[in-house]
Amino acid sequence: MNICIIGTGFVGVVAAAVYASLGHTVIGLDVDLAKIEKLRQGIVPFFEPQLKELLIEQQSLGKLSFTTEYKVAISNSEIVIIAVGTPSAPDGQADLKYVVASAESLAPFLKEKAIVIIKSTVPPGTLPKIEDVIRRKTQVKFFTASLPEFLKEGSAVHDTLNPDRIVIGATDPFVFATLEALHAPFEAHIVKVRPESAQMAKYAANAYLATRITFINQIADLCEKNGADIQDVIEAIGYDKRIGKHYWYPGFGYGGSCFPKDVKELAAYSRAINEEHNLLNKINELNEQRVAKLLDSYKDRIGGWQGKKVAVLGLSFKPNTDDMREAPSTRVIPYLLEHGAMVTGYDPKTVEVAPHFIPANEHLSFTEDLNAAVEGTDVIFSLIEWPEITTYDFSSARNKDKTQWFIDARNQFSPARVSEWGFEYIGIGR
Ligand code: NAD
């Protein structure tokens, strides 16, 4: 099939490369010329395992190309997938301006019977609005569908090739049949539902995972007050099959480009439809307050942050990505600077992007050299569990002339091991 993906950001590039690898002819379209030129040269403007190799391979096979021209991209495409950004608008709801703009631009070139799919995360009720936008600019018969994206950054290519499920939101049998055939090679569960259900499923999945993280953080806080260890509690509750041992991450709260945004958008959407009294506002509030709450609570223990030399390790929002959108580091580092600390930020992949999120200054520097980052520090702050960090022997950073603290923000280290290295251990809920 001929497929056009509109928006070659994170989701769009992964989708384009993966559909091409299934044998389709895919064209990626973006309004950002610099991005398109990079992609044409096989340069992925962010770090994601396996993606660059797949992109180069599919371009060299002639299955994948990139353009900035709507006419070129749309005229020949049976399937048009909108994967542009949906940032939060000032009222907190998803801002659909990029989705609307792409619908307006694609409409004049739409092929008869093309299927326009929204992959961007959008609230229920979006499809009819986009259909209206397109109908104003074309006479051709076209179809629409919602195909929410569930990949995880850091394992996006793997997730897209091996999805837990594909959710197709549509009403027309032709659309279901075409999209089912398109995704058959994945051998995944295909959930065929109304568009509104597909859109709610995307928000519900992210809101649930964010709630799970916030919940275990609350339990961790209680453990700190009563001598329980959150890791023991997780093991104990995890044997209950209704609960499970997976996906418990007590820590500094959730981040990334999706959870914070999607929780806020779902909360705002709820307000807009008069369902204001709900859990989502509280989840968002607790998550936003979490970094300051924890860092305040360490102040007495370490004798204040003023003048402390702190190595913050792991700046991306999780391992295997260089994405720092709403990463815990973007709250932790400004807090530390504000409270008088001197910070070195270490990350294996974000050294170039980090200054765009947190401008370096005389009290803040970034490095890719872990040895240099931890040298002479008062506090080592293991924020994200990159393997480079969790397998490092921190005994080399020990200075016997002073007390040093080790903040294990994701409970990745054994407290006994950290004590053996000579540091005062501070974990989460232990
Ligand atoms: P992104 O910001 O990385 O990329 C969006 C791209 O769209 C940019 O390259 C931008 O130039 C382009 N664009 C904007 N307006 C355009 C237009 N009119 N025509 C053509 N291109 C245009 O966004 P992303 O992280 O890829 O997310 C895209 C959508 O997918 C969002 O709705 C997001 O919530 C959702 N999503 C993201 C993830 C993720 O892990 N990043 C996961 C699931 C769902």
Side-chain angles (χ1 to χ4, degrees):
M1 297 193 97
N2 291 325
I3 301 176
C4 168
I5 314 264
I6 305 183
T8 58
F10 189 86
V11 167
V13 176
V14 173
V18 168
Y19 283 125
S21 75
L22 296 182
H24 301 289
T25 303
V26 181
I27 184 158
L29 167 71
D30 205 290
V31 286
D32 183 339
L33 177 61
K35 198 176 268 185
I36 290 297
E37 279 177 348
K38 274 192 178 160
L39 290 166
R40 281 177 176 152
Q41 294 163 37
I43 301 168
V44 180
F46 48 83
F47 171 71
E48 180 62 36
Q50 300 177 43
L51 185 55
K52 187 181 165 79
E53 296 77 4
L54 197 60
L55 182 90
I56 292 173
E57 180 190 74
Q58 294 308 316
Q59 286 196 97
S60 65
L61 290 172
K63 302 306 288 179
L64 177 60
S65 60
F66 294 96
T67 184
T68 53
E69 288 182 48
Y70 269 87
K71 186 173 181 186
V72 171
I74 305 295
S75 315
N76 205 25
S77 296
E78 287 110 35
I79 295 200
V80 176
I81 300 178
I82 300 178
V84 299
T86 46
S88 303
D91 70 352
Q93 291 208 67
D95 188 341
L96 299 178
K97 68 176 177 233
Y98 301 121
V99 178
V100 170
S102 52
E104 277 173 347
S105 306
L106 71 85
F109 310 111
L110 209 52
K111 200 175 147 90
E112 185 76 24
K113 284 191 156 182
I115 304 176
V116 178
I117 296 171
I118 301 192
K119 187 170 262 308
S120 306
T121 303
V122 295
T126 301
L127 270 197
K129 287 184 194 155
I130 297 308
E131 284 164 7
D132 284 350
V133 170
I134 298 174
R135 240 181 247 118
R136 269 184 245 131
K137 297 208 165 183
T138 185
Q139 301 295 320
V140 302
K141 178 169 173 55
F142 65 94
F143 299 94
T144 57
S146 182
L147 189 70
E149 180 57 72
F150 294 96
L151 59 70
K152 301 184 286 300
E153 291 189 21
S155 56
V157 173
H158 176 269
D159 292 352
T160 311
L161 287 167
N162 306 279
D164 294 334
R165 76 308 208 182
I166 303 281
V167 180
I168 304 172
T171 49
D172 193 286
F174 166 73
V175 176
F176 281 126
T178 309
L179 297 189
E180 204 169 358
L182 178 65
H183 295 97
F186 295 130
E187 294 178 3
H189 298 290
I190 294 196
V191 184
K192 293 186 281 182
V193 292
R194 302 167 54 78
E196 294 77 9
S197 305
Q199 290 148 354
M200 273 309 290
K202 174 63 198 170
Y203 277 116
N206 277 358
Y208 171 73
L209 295 172
T211 305
R212 199 166 154 109
I213 291 170
T214 308
F215 169 78
I216 207 66
N217 284 339
Q218 296 274 283
I219 301 296
D221 289 354
L222 301 181
C223 290
E224 291 207 358
K225 300 260 161 60
N226 60 25
D229 184 322
I230 189 66
Q231 297 306 134
D232 297 341
V233 174
I234 287 172
E235 191 191 352
I237 62 174
Y239 286 105
D240 186 328
K241 290 190 181 61
R242 295 168 302 175
I243 297 173
K245 281 188 193 172
H246 64 286
Y247 209 73
W248 291 121
Y249 289 110
F252 270 63
Y254 58 81
S257 69
C258 292
F259 286 9
K261 170 176 92 71
D262 291 353
V263 170
K264 278 184 254 181
E265 285 180 5
L266 191 54
Y269 169 75
S270 310
R271 269 198 303 281
I273 59 168
N274 295 323
E275 289 292 337
E276 187 157 3
H277 194 61
N278 65 55
L279 184 66
L280 302 159
N281 293 315
K282 196 68 195 172
I283 298 290
N284 178 47
E285 189 187 309
L286 288 168
N287 195 61
E288 290 201 337
Q289 293 166 350
R290 183 140 186 91
V291 165
K293 179 186 175 195
L294 289 177
L295 293 180
D296 279 349
S297 76
Y298 302 153
K299 252 192 230 157
D300 289 346
R301 205 154 154 197
I302 68 159
W305 292 106
Q306 185 66 39
K308 290 279 181 325
K309 207 168 166 234
V310 185
V312 177
L313 313 181
L315 309 179
S316 54
F317 84 94
K318 65 173 177 177
N320 282 328
T321 176
D322 62 358
D323 196 341
M324 283 181 62
R325 290 180 279 185
E326 303 232 20
S329 63
T330 62
R331 289 206 180 115
V332 167
I333 293 176
Y335 175 102
L336 293 172
L337 294 174
E338 220 174 275
H339 289 77
M342 287 163 297
V343 180
T344 305
Y346 159 82
D347 191 283
K349 292 289 174 201
T350 67
V351 83
E352 275 174 35
V353 295
H356 299 293
F357 287 88
I358 322 159
N361 63 33
E362 63 202 290
H363 299 298
L364 171 64
S365 59
F366 297 109
T367 178
E368 279 175 315
D369 181 346
L370 185 48
N371 295 322
V374 297
E375 198 187 332
T377 50
D378 298 302
V379 183
I380 290 174
F381 212 128
S382 171
L383 204 46
I384 295 297
E385 66 278 23
W386 280 95
E388 288 84 342
I389 299 167
T390 54
T391 57
Y392 189 82
D393 181 350
F394 286 94
S395 58
S396 61
R398 176 72 187 121
N399 178 345
K400 291 201 169 65
D401 296 334
K402 61 180 179 182
T403 306
Q404 288 166 293
W405 290 268
F406 191 104
I407 300 177
D408 180 10
R410 301 263 274 185
N411 287 354
Q412 294 293 311
F413 294 83
S414 130
R417 181 115 199 268
V418 173
S419 298
E420 271 165 34
W421 286 332
F423 296 89
E424 296 286 318
Y425 179 86
I426 301 177
I428 303 289
R430 7 175 56 173

